[in-house]
Amino acid sequence: MSASSYALAIHTSSPDLGLAISHFSGDARSQVWNLGRDLSTHLHIHLAAFLQPQSWSDLAFLAVAKGPGGFTGTRMGVVTARTLAQQLEIPLFAVSTLEAIAWSTLQASNSPATIAVQMQAQRGEWFVGMYQRSLDGAGLIS
């Protein structure tokens, strides 16, 4: 990755819009907005403002939350990320929200244990996943 390469992450699988950008050498920031049903109205405005002071040409790749989550919000994030990646001619990686939470938790605890992750869905239901660090420690097994 060159000195001016950043990664941008987009999360829209919940009523919150989450954006993160990182240079992977200490220059990183993230922000979350609780937009609810206004996500479709404000996604592009927040995205353009959040990117500053970097520009689109500074991006080396994109990551997007692929769910689980609400259909409309998830679809908006995936379509936005896919369109940006195509236009910028950069790679796009889709990441499971539950797997990202599990990975972060296991990395922080450095534990090989199995972890159950849950996220509230609508109508009193839950999204649930169980993960364990792979034998080589480089990934997760679901």
Side-chain angles (χ1 to χ4, degrees):
M1 207 177 298
S2 70
S4 64
S5 296
Y6 285 80
L8 176 67
I10 302 170
H11 182 276
T12 60
S13 297
S14 70
D16 298 332
L17 165 62
L19 299 174
I21 190 166
S22 179
H23 189 276
F24 298 102
S25 63
D27 183 16
R29 67 184 187 283
S30 62
Q31 191 166 351
V32 176
W33 297 266
N34 185 334
L35 298 177
R37 293 190 179 272
D38 291 331
L39 180 66
S40 61
T41 307
H42 298 289
L43 170 62
H44 297 94
I45 295 166
H46 285 296
L47 182 57
F50 177 80
L51 185 63
Q52 301 299 318
Q54 283 71 42
S55 67
W56 298 113
S57 62
D58 290 326
L59 298 178
F61 69 90
L62 295 170
V64 64
K66 65 178 182 178
F71 175 76
T72 302
T74 302
R75 181 184 60 173
M76 288 179 53
V78 169
V79 169
T80 298
R82 182 174 178 219
T83 302
L84 286 170
Q86 287 176 335
Q87 293 301 307
L88 298 171
E89 297 180 348
I90 58 176
L92 171 62
F93 301 94
V95 179
S96 160
T97 303
L98 293 175
E99 190 170 346
I101 294 167
W103 178 256
S104 176
T105 303
L106 287 174
Q107 288 296 96
S109 67
N110 203 18
S111 167
T114 300
I115 183 171
V117 181
Q118 67 183 21
M119 209 171 85
Q120 191 166 9
Q122 294 180 356
R123 298 180 186 95
E125 296 183 4
W126 293 87
F127 298 117
V128 180
M130 291 189 67
Y131 300 91
Q132 182 176 15
R133 189 185 306 273
S134 62
L135 293 177
D136 64 4
L140 294 177
I141 301 169
S142 60

